[in-house]
Amino acid sequence: MSGHSKWHNIQAKKGKADAARGKIFTKLGRELAVAAKGNPNPATNSKLADVIAKAKAANMPNDNIERSIKRAAGDVGERDYKELTYEGYGVGGAAVIITTLTDNINRTAGDVRAIMSKHGGSLGMTGCVSYMFDHRGLIVVERTPDLDEDTVTMYAIDAGADDVVASEDAFEIYTEPAAFSAVRSYLEEKGLSFLQAEITQIPQNRITLPEDKLETFMKMLEKLEENDDVQQVYHNVELPEEEEEE
């Protein structure tokens, strides 16, 4: 179980996350509230348990997590958030998948379309780029002196994971989406804490953009991620902080 890791420079990644902490927590809070509606008990709501793990990996305080879950009970009937996914192309033919949680579909679609258009991109039909990505569960565990590759690999195999990719800084554990909850739960029981834990879209291949187009593409990403309705943006572009991994 080995391969090529895309996770490196953990301190830099943590610093980047810290800078955007407020926005991240807002988006996670909405995701927690939506997952908790109808059943706020993570012991019997695996989707909620998965989002809690994702929130903890982002260092969201337990008080914030609990407030978001409690808010779900109070918001019933007030706001009906819908999960919508948009696909399209960025400048230079980059493939982009955007997941959203919105209570106003027209607003969100208009905002996403405008941001992409302003930066040389365009929305496409459902399925136009998703075939270029693998829908996978991903759990990232930081490598420490007390945690060796053999132990993590054994845990992952026993849990039912598909693959483990080891790097200097971390272990990436990949699962089928349907197996993610069980694998996550098993690893938590073994006492592992996560740097990342979510079901994600992983590009099968990455493209390199020329400097001018890369700058435009990164501005588009920034504007999309600033939008309150946008939860995640997946793409297949090689970004500067990833270049040294290749």
Side-chain angles (χ1 to χ4, degrees), residues 130-159:
S130 56
Y131 70 93
M132 303 180 194
F133 294 77
D134 293 324
H135 193 48
R136 305 291 301 280
L138 172 61
I139 297 169
V140 180
V141 179
E142 185 169 4
R143 183 191 282 268
T144 67
D146 299 327
L147 195 62
D148 59 66
E149 184 174 351
D150 288 343
T151 299
V152 173
T153 300
M154 180 184 67
Y155 287 164
I157 292 173
D158 291 345

Side-chain angles (χ1 to χ4, degrees), residues 166-187:
S167 68
E168 182 179 343
D169 295 328
F171 302 101
E172 296 178 5
I173 301 165
Y174 293 90
T175 79
E176 289 297 320
F180 175 79
S181 293
V183 173
R184 172 196 53 73
S185 179
Y186 183 92
L187 296 177

